[in-house]
Amino acid sequence: MTLNTSSIYFDLVNSLRTVEESNNIIALIEELKGSTFQLKKNDFKSILNNSTLTKAGILLKDLLVKHKVNLSDQIEIEKFLEAIRDSLKKLRSINLTLSFIPNDKMLDRLSAWIKTNISDGIMLDIQYEPSIIGGIKISYYGMYKDYTLDKAINQILQTQKEQITKLIA
Amino acid sequence: MGIDNTTFYTLAISLFFLSIILIILIVSYLQMYKRLRLLQKEHDHAKDVLNQKTTRALQTAQNKADELINTAAKKAEEIINNTKITSNELQKTLDKNLEGLAKEQQAVVRKHTAEVLDDYKNELSDIKGANVRFLQEIIKNLKTDANNQIETFRKSLENKTLKSDDAVEERIEKAYDQIKIELEIKKQEKLKKLDEKIFEIVNIATKNILGKTLPLKDQEDLVFKALDSAKKDGII
């Protein structure tokens, strides 16, 4: 089997949205790589066919199937896993702090926006901070900016401080 | 080498004369020596005679002196005895005289004492009168001085009281102004703190209300609006 690394990378970029998902794949690969030397041929198949697979497991299984990896060939499996891991290392990330925990739909939307407006291969590194009320804090490639409601409210209140105080007093 | 005749005869004559002179000198010396011995003997004799005379004179003088001393001692004893008798008599006479004199003196002293006493009394009376007048004068002066001083003090006190009243009033005004300033500062500080507190409450309340009431859709829209802004700002 000839490994098409570009294709693997493309599949990963399309399948993964967040840094967390990427890290889960890496963790699973590490786990599987260790087990390939110890398990028998059918054991690896049975792991991948397990109905209790995590999202990362399902994604990995889909990739193995899509790229027609011989699950009986331990060396081939290892090479494939290594190629995935190398591709994951190439991925970049953007740090976004939100005031709520985004659901899958929101993650899809965010991921799509990033791919459309910035580039492929950028994973979302999501942080949850309710005190920002709304909006986001962005940190990307050493750049940082606060687009939160908390900051906006503070600015408004500061500029209107005298009037507000007079109104209340 | 031979000596001429003239020289020879001259020398011979000279030697002859010199021999004669030498002989004369020796004879003279011997005569003088004899005379000296004689004189020495006379001198010694005279000395002995003189010593004898001196010893006799001294002995005589000693005897005379002893005799004089004895006589003087006897005389002195007689004089002392006579003197004792005279002293007793003299003492008695002296006592009598002294007694008389003492009596006279007593009389004189009494007389003088009386006179002095009278004079003293008169003088004392005069002094007393003068002192009374002097004291009266002093008291009068003291009284006047005291009145003057009291008057001066009263005036000074009035002035000082007036000045003091003004000073106290001025100090009170200053203190009042100071307190007013301090109160104003404290008031401003309190108001500032109050404003801060109110502002803080408004801030928290606003955020709480907004955070709780903001719908999820609006939250999501805000996220995308923020992303758009970040893109415009060149952050991403």
Side-chain angles (χ1 to χ4, degrees):
Chain A
M1 186 203 80
T2 307
L3 285 174
N4 186 344
T5 51
S6 299
S7 176
I8 292 168
Y9 177 78
F10 182 75
D11 288 338
L12 283 170
V13 165
N14 282 332
S15 307
L16 296 172
R17 299 166 301 182
T18 66
V19 171
E20 189 185 1
E21 289 170 351
S22 172
N23 289 339
N24 287 339
I25 296 287
I26 291 169
L28 184 62
I29 288 168
E30 291 299 319
E31 194 181 332
L32 290 173
K33 271 185 73 180
S35 64
T36 51
F37 295 98
Q38 295 165 12
L39 299 171
K40 291 177 182 173
K41 293 174 186 174
N42 292 330
D43 289 341
F44 193 75
K45 278 183 187 173
S46 64
I47 288 167
L48 291 175
N49 288 326
N50 193 323
S51 59
T52 59
L53 275 177
T54 58
K55 280 184 181 176
I58 294 165
L59 177 63
L60 195 59
K61 184 187 167 186
D62 290 344
L63 287 169
L64 285 162
V65 172
K66 189 181 176 184
H67 288 271
K68 296 173 183 173
V69 177
N70 182 4
L71 297 179
S72 303
D73 186 346
Q74 288 184 353
I75 295 168
E76 194 175 322
I77 294 167
E78 270 187 44
K79 280 184 178 174
F80 186 76
L81 293 178
E82 194 65 36
I84 291 172
R85 200 169 63 172
D86 289 343
S87 296
L88 288 172
K89 283 181 182 173
K90 291 173 187 171
L91 298 174
R92 289 172 288 159
S93 68
I94 181 167
N95 184 285
L96 300 175
T97 303
L98 306 180
S99 62
F100 59 95
I101 299 168
N103 53 26
D104 269 349
K105 196 181 169 187
M106 182 64 182
L107 285 176
D108 285 340
R109 284 181 69 195
L110 281 170
S111 184
W113 192 95
I114 296 293
K115 280 169 187 164
T116 308
N117 291 282
I118 308 174
S119 165
D120 288 331
I122 299 173
M123 299 290 106
L124 298 166
D125 185 7
I126 304 290
Q127 306 291 322
Y128 170 55
E129 198 177 310
S131 64
I132 64 170
I133 303 170
I136 49 169
K137 287 181 188 172
I138 299 172
S139 180
Y140 180 66
Y141 265 83
M143 304 279 274
Y144 171 83
K145 188 126 187 190
D146 188 333
Y147 294 99
T148 63
L149 265 184
D150 179 54
K151 189 186 174 187
I153 291 165
N154 280 340
Q155 282 174 341
I156 292 163
L157 289 175
Q158 282 295 335
T159 51
Q160 305 291 320
K161 190 177 177 180
E162 280 186 25
Q163 287 87 331
I164 293 164
T165 311
K166 277 179 188 172
L167 278 170
I168 296 164
Chain B
M1 184 184 78
I3 300 167
D4 59 12
N5 289 333
T6 310
T7 307
F8 179 76
Y9 287 121
T10 304
L11 282 171
I13 290 163
S14 296
L15 192 64
F16 175 74
F17 279 111
L18 281 171
S19 299
I20 289 167
I21 288 164
L22 187 64
I23 290 162
I24 291 164
L25 280 171
I26 290 163
V27 170
S28 295
Y29 177 76
L30 288 170
Q31 283 177 346
M32 279 186 75
Y33 179 73
K34 280 180 182 177
R35 283 180 68 184
L36 189 65
R37 287 287 306 267
L38 191 65
L39 282 170
Q40 186 69 39
K41 279 181 182 175
E42 282 177 2
H43 175 260
D44 290 342
H45 178 70
K47 198 177 175 182
D48 289 342
V49 171
L50 189 64
N51 281 337
Q52 284 172 6
K53 281 183 179 178
T54 304
T55 306
R56 276 200 300 272
L58 281 170
Q59 189 64 46
T60 308
Q62 183 69 41
N63 293 337
K64 285 270 182 188
D66 290 343
E67 194 180 336
L68 279 169
I69 286 163
N70 289 332
T71 309
K74 282 176 186 174
K75 281 275 180 187
E77 197 176 352
E78 283 174 13
I79 289 163
I80 287 163
N81 291 333
N82 291 334
T83 305
K84 278 180 181 174
I85 294 159
T86 310
S87 291
N88 288 335
E89 286 173 356
L90 193 67
Q91 185 67 44
K92 283 173 186 173
T93 312
L94 192 65
D95 287 347
K96 277 182 185 175
N97 287 337
L98 279 172
E99 195 177 352
L101 191 65
K103 281 174 182 172
E104 282 176 13
Q105 283 298 315
Q106 277 179 355
V108 170
V109 167
R110 271 196 213 102
K111 190 185 170 189
H112 278 289
T113 306
E115 283 173 7
V116 168
L117 204 63
D118 286 345
D119 288 347
Y120 177 73
K121 278 179 183 173
N122 292 333
E123 195 69 28
L124 198 66
S125 178
D126 290 347
I127 289 165
K128 192 181 171 186
N131 279 344
V132 167
R133 283 193 299 280
F134 182 64
L135 280 170
Q136 282 174 344
E137 192 68 25
I138 286 169
I139 289 163
K140 191 182 169 187
N141 288 338
L142 282 171
K143 198 176 172 183
T144 310
D145 284 351
N147 282 333
N148 288 337
Q149 282 182 9
I150 288 164
E151 184 62 24
T152 309
F153 180 69
R154 192 179 63 76
K155 283 178 182 172
S156 166
L157 202 64
E158 276 178 5
N159 285 333
K160 280 180 181 171
T161 308
L162 286 169
K163 283 178 185 173
S164 174
D165 285 349
D166 291 345
V168 167
E169 197 175 341
E170 195 179 339
R171 261 185 273 161
I172 288 167
E173 274 181 16
K174 275 186 181 175
Y176 179 70
D177 289 344
Q178 187 62 33
I179 289 164
K180 263 168 64 178
I181 291 163
E182 284 172 9
L183 276 173
E184 188 60 31
I185 290 164
K186 283 186 179 175
K187 188 182 163 188
Q188 291 301 327
E189 283 174 0
K190 286 271 181 194
L191 282 171
K192 198 181 171 188
K193 279 182 184 173
L194 193 67
D195 287 350
E196 293 289 337
K197 196 72 187 168
I198 289 166
F199 181 73
E200 196 182 319
I201 291 163
V202 170
N203 197 338
I204 291 164
T206 308
K207 287 171 183 175
N208 279 342
I209 293 161
L210 207 61
K212 283 174 184 172
T213 56
L214 201 65
L216 184 64
K217 190 180 177 306
D218 291 344
Q219 294 263 24
E220 290 174 355
D221 288 346
L222 277 171
V223 169
F224 289 106
K225 278 184 183 173
L227 285 168
D228 289 335
S229 299
K231 192 181 175 187
K232 278 182 190 169
D233 294 340
I235 303 296
I236 49 178

